[in-house]
Structures are given as C-alpha cells and as structure tokens.
Amino acid sequence: MNRAKYCVTEAHTEAEFAWNALAPFSDLAHHEQGLNFFKRLRNEPQQLHAELALRTEVLTREINGKLPCIVSIADPYASERTISEDDMKLFSLPYLFQMLRGLRLVEGGAVHVCPYCSERLERHGFAHMELIRLPSAAQYEKVLSDYAKAEHGVLLGGQCIHTNETDCVFVLRTSADGA
C-alpha cells in the first residue's frame, strides 16, 4: 500500500470535495504496531526524527500534487491525551510546521488545519492566527471552496472542517523560523 496515498485521501460531501491528510507524526504512529511507536519516542528518538523528516517530505509532495483544492490536515495521534507537551513540541509540531511551509499555495488552494493543531502551532510560536470577519454568515464548506479557487492559496485553522456555518475565518500564518 502507498502510505502517502492512504494518508492523503479523498473525502466528500454532496457539494464539494476535500482531501484529508494526516500530519507526519500521526502518519507514522498510524502505521506502527500498537504502543511501539510511543515507546520509540524514548528509545529511538534520532531514528524517529529521521523517519518523521522523510514522511514530511513525502506527504508534502503528495499534498502539493493535489493543490489547488481543499486539503484538511489533522494530527490525531499528537493530542494532549496521548503525548506530553514536550514530545508534541519535539516530535509533532516541527514536522507539521515544515509540511505547511512546504506547501505550494501560489496557484490557489485552501489548506484547513485542524483547530487543535492550529491552536498548538500558535501556542508554541510556529504560527499565528488572524481573525477575518465575513460580511455575513456563510456555509464553511462554501468559504473553503471560494478560498480554494482564489488566485493565491491560504492556510486556515481555528475551527473544525465540519463547521456548518460561520461568520469568520482564521487565517493561519506560519512564522518565519518556527519556534
């Protein structure tokens, strides 16, 4: 199985299509045997960093191959219930940040980052969110679709991809150098 194609998969509603992508940390964790991956955080950190760097390159390339479109990125294995804040800063956020920085949004596209991820990126200095008020409430799916068709792409966060209606968006701006 092509792991990148598995981790960047098509999902849809009746109106629009989006590509769902796992962040590098969750991609690696998803393919390990049970708790083995989390044990490796302590026992094999250097090897894990090398694997995360490789997964970041592969996933970035795979997502860039789908742009311009709507891509939704999540990192469910990097939750506060699963790993420590220190491990999140060391093993998850730098690779998610690197992946986001590597996306080619010059021709359009809307990359939606899970609110849990975007909040952590902001909290640890990898990015900041800018609130933009919409003239009126709109279907979030339509807002994403409009952004995806714009001349230049955008990173969005701060709210769930499944938000039904919204009167604002949170533009996610990555910092120049990360944390």
Side-chain angles (χ1 to χ4, degrees):
M1 171 195 313
N2 182 328
R3 286 176 43 187
K5 291 196 183 305
Y6 175 82
C7 289
V8 183
T9 59
E10 189 171 14
H12 64 87
T13 65
E14 291 179 19
E16 296 293 333
F17 287 87
W19 292 90
N20 294 321
L22 288 177
F25 183 87
S26 288
D27 171 47
L28 228 57
H30 180 77
H31 290 92
E32 288 279 336
Q33 296 291 327
L35 293 175
N36 186 48
F37 176 79
F38 297 102
K39 289 178 184 177
R40 292 180 63 213
L41 294 174
R42 300 286 168 267
N43 299 336
E44 303 171 10
Q46 293 309 104
Q47 183 179 352
L48 198 55
H49 281 295
E51 291 174 30
L52 284 164
L54 179 61
R55 292 309 306 151
T56 300
E57 289 177 28
V58 170
L59 290 170
T60 303
R61 196 170 38 249
E62 184 73 20
I63 293 169
N64 279 333
K66 305 297 181 201
L67 292 172
C69 66
I70 301 168
V71 176
S72 178
I73 298 173
D75 202 2
Y77 287 85
S79 76
E80 282 103 358
R81 298 165 76 189
T82 310
I83 62 173
S84 71
E85 195 78 12
D86 288 340
D87 285 343
M88 191 180 306
K89 288 189 311 191
L90 189 61
F91 292 102
S92 169
L93 295 177
Y95 299 99
L96 175 57
F97 170 77
Q98 183 180 344
M99 186 171 77
L100 295 175
R101 296 278 304 206
L103 297 180
R104 292 188 313 253
L105 294 167
V106 293
E107 296 178 10
V111 176
H112 176 273
V113 180
C114 167
Y116 297 109
C117 296
S118 57
E119 187 275 331
R120 289 182 204 123
L121 286 165
E122 185 174 48
R123 182 177 355 136
H124 294 290
F126 288 94
H128 71 276
M129 285 186 278
E130 176 185 336
L131 172 68
I132 297 178
R133 293 268 176 216
L134 302 175
S136 61
Q139 295 290 321
Y140 190 52
E141 186 175 275
K142 171 82 168 97
V143 172
L144 288 172
S145 179
D146 289 346
Y147 271 110
K149 295 172 188 166
E151 184 177 332
H152 294 286
V154 66
L155 293 173
L156 299 167
Q159 58 191 318
C160 182
I161 187 79
H162 302 292
T163 298
N164 186 28
E165 196 171 86
T166 188
D167 63 352
C168 63
V169 293
F170 298 88
V171 175
L172 188 64
R173 303 205 190 281
T174 57
S175 64
D177 56 357

